[in-house]
Amino acid sequence: MAPLILHGGKTNKNSYKTLIAAEYAGVQVDFAPNFEMGVSNKTPEFLKINPIGKVPVLETPDGPVFESNAIARYVTQLKGDNTLYGSSLIEHAHIEQWIDFSSLEIDANIIKWYAPRVGRGPYLPPAEEAAISALKRALAALNTHLASNTYLVGHSVTLADIIMTCNLYLGFANILVKCFTSEFPHVERYFWTLVNQPNFRKIIGQVKQAETIPPVQSAKKPSQPKESKPKVKNEPKKEANKEPEKPKEEAEEEAPKPKAKNPLDLLPPSPMILDEWKRLYSNTKTNFREVAIKGIVFVAPRARCFTCFLN
């Protein structure tokens, strides 16, 4: 059989899936020599085998395969004399079921919690709370299943256990501290049992659980070089030409307008003495009509004299 070449990081949990499956299946898989993440996966040669430049990618005699779960499935089925895919159709379906559960419910939420804290995405507290809540829900379901099962499917290690353990490894090694995982004792027992199996330990090595949750890294903006501004010579400021003040013109006083003449002013002075008439009127006790009133007095509006009309 032609050698299988795996492009990817040697400490990447997605590479572990293929390598552990290869150990159980008895298949030889070699790493691509001199692979450098961020460099090798950007070359035109690599983009031909995976257009989006992600790892891992497995080169096979029949062509490349990318996506870690698909690669692990391929390696598992290269030899049919293993039980990694179960011994019946229903076991095969259950293995696929737990592979999907592991990817969508466990791995996805661990990454949503862990990646923003180490600067691989924007940190949003509500998003983190949602990821932790979803992860706890998934771990609770897994814990319930493992309460009465040593493995996910059947009575031996299957591909579902390999993928589940590798996904849990990311969490246990980086962010799932003891006080968090202690809520799920059957998941703890399951994980430590699997990572201490010879084929797991050969690939992963000794696993140590995270002691602290990584602190949030503050996003640092790249420093921009300061632009040098040309120096401007100090020139004397020119005062704006001030307009000469105009002499204040003295306000001309308007001549008073002549008052309109009253037509009554043209009449001759009245011969009547009003005070004498008042005394006569007040002192007359009898013969009032004959003595005091010898006529009707009309007082014209705004008039200066009285006009008497005698009987």
Side-chain angles (χ1 to χ4, degrees):
M1 179 185 293
L4 302 175
I5 306 300
L6 184 66
H7 298 261
K10 294 182 179 180
T11 58
N12 187 313
K13 59 100 174 174
N14 288 328
S15 296
Y16 290 162
K17 298 175 185 178
T18 298
L19 298 175
I20 295 171
E23 290 294 326
Y24 276 97
V27 176
Q28 183 178 353
V29 176
D30 298 323
F31 274 106
N34 303 320
F35 180 86
E36 185 179 353
M37 187 63 189
V39 178
S40 302
N41 59 315
K42 303 297 182 183
T43 62
E45 293 77 11
F46 185 89
L47 295 177
K48 288 180 181 179
I49 60 177
N50 187 355
I52 60 176
K54 287 187 176 182
V55 295
V57 177
L58 183 69
E59 284 192 83
T60 77
D62 299 318
V65 180
F66 56 84
E67 295 298 335
S68 61
N69 291 349
I71 297 171
R73 289 185 180 100
Y74 173 83
V75 171
T76 297
Q77 297 179 87
L78 278 177
K79 290 185 177 181
D81 57 349
N82 65 72
T83 59
L84 289 180
Y85 243 125
S87 57
S88 66
L89 183 61
I90 190 63
E91 285 188 352
H92 179 83
H94 285 162
I95 289 169
E96 291 291 347
Q97 162 193 292
W98 285 110
I99 289 175
D100 289 348
F101 179 88
S102 173
S103 301
L104 300 175
E105 304 295 339
I106 302 295
D107 188 45
N109 288 307
I110 289 175
I111 291 173
K112 288 177 184 177
W113 182 10
Y114 174 65
R117 283 187 165 266
V118 294
R120 297 178 185 174
Y123 176 76
L124 302 172
E128 181 180 77
E129 291 176 8
I132 294 173
S133 177
L135 179 59
K136 284 185 174 182
R137 180 184 177 187
L139 290 175
L142 179 61
N143 192 69
T144 300
H145 177 74
L146 293 173
S148 56
N149 295 277
T150 303
Y151 304 101
L152 292 176
V153 181
H155 302 287
S156 62
V157 173
T158 64
L159 183 60
D161 296 304
I162 294 172
I163 292 176
M164 178 69 78
T165 302
C166 289
N167 288 337
L168 286 171
Y169 167 79
L170 175 66
F172 270 80
N174 295 284
I175 200 168
L176 301 183
V177 294
K178 178 63 179 178
C179 62
F180 182 88
T181 59
S182 60
E183 297 181 28
F184 316 101
H186 302 297
V187 175
E188 284 186 322
R189 183 264 307 161
Y190 169 81
F191 176 76
W192 293 115
T193 298
L194 269 293
V195 294
N196 283 293
Q197 296 295 311
N199 288 335
F200 280 82
R201 191 155 187 171
K202 180 180 178 179
I203 301 302
I204 299 177
Q206 187 175 1
V207 180
K208 184 179 179 181
Q209 188 168 5
E211 296 180 355
T212 59
I213 296 175
V216 179
Q217 294 184 5
S218 58
K220 295 182 179 180
K221 296 182 179 180
S223 58
Q224 297 180 352
K226 296 181 179 179
E227 296 181 358
S228 58
K229 296 181 179 180
K231 295 182 179 180
V232 180
K233 295 182 179 180
N234 294 329
E235 296 182 358
K237 295 181 180 179
K238 296 180 180 180
E239 295 184 358
N241 295 330
K242 295 183 179 180
E243 296 182 359
E245 294 182 358
K246 296 180 180 180
K248 296 181 180 180
E249 298 179 357
E250 296 181 358
E252 296 181 358
E253 295 183 359
E254 295 182 358
K257 295 180 180 180
K259 295 181 180 180
K261 293 183 178 181
N262 194 323
L264 297 178
D265 292 340
L266 301 176
L267 296 175
S270 174
M272 179 181 178
I273 301 173
L274 185 59
D275 290 339
E276 292 182 0
W277 187 88
K278 286 180 180 181
R279 284 194 296 271
L280 177 65
Y281 179 83
S282 300
N283 295 329
T284 300
K285 304 299 180 183
T286 60
N287 299 326
F288 181 81
R289 181 178 178 81
E290 296 177 1
V291 178
I293 300 178
K294 293 182 179 181
I296 301 174
V297 179
F298 290 91
V299 181
R302 299 175 64 185
R304 294 184 181 179
C305 64
F306 296 90
T307 303
C308 298
F309 296 89
L310 300 176
N311 290 336

